[in-house]
Amino acid sequence: MCVDALGGAADRGTALCELSRVLVPRGRLVVTRALRRGAEPAWHEQVAAAGLMQEHR
């Protein structure tokens, strides 16, 4: 579980790749992030590049 921590990562894509690497097969990673009202997160591409599947936003 990663609670509001990826926003402070120097390279969020690299951090997601590392989280994916250490995740057990078929495991789930829960990531949360606070967003400003009206802001759209740009996670789709980084999640896919890390070999992860986004289930909910």
Side-chain angles (χ1 to χ4, degrees):
M1 180 175 280
C2 184
V3 179
D4 297 343
L6 287 180
D11 184 342
R12 188 172 42 216
T14 300
L16 283 169
C17 285
E18 181 62 9
L19 289 168
S20 176
R21 185 186 72 77
V22 300
L23 194 64
V24 298
R26 299 188 53 96
R28 286 191 171 187
L29 171 65
V30 177
V31 177
T32 67
R33 179 164 183 234
L35 291 176
R36 287 172 288 187
R37 189 177 304 255
E40 286 294 319
W43 290 62
H44 300 290
E45 298 84 15
Q46 292 170 331
V47 168
L52 298 168
M53 180 180 69
Q54 184 172 334
E55 291 184 3
H56 181 70
R57 181 187 85 156

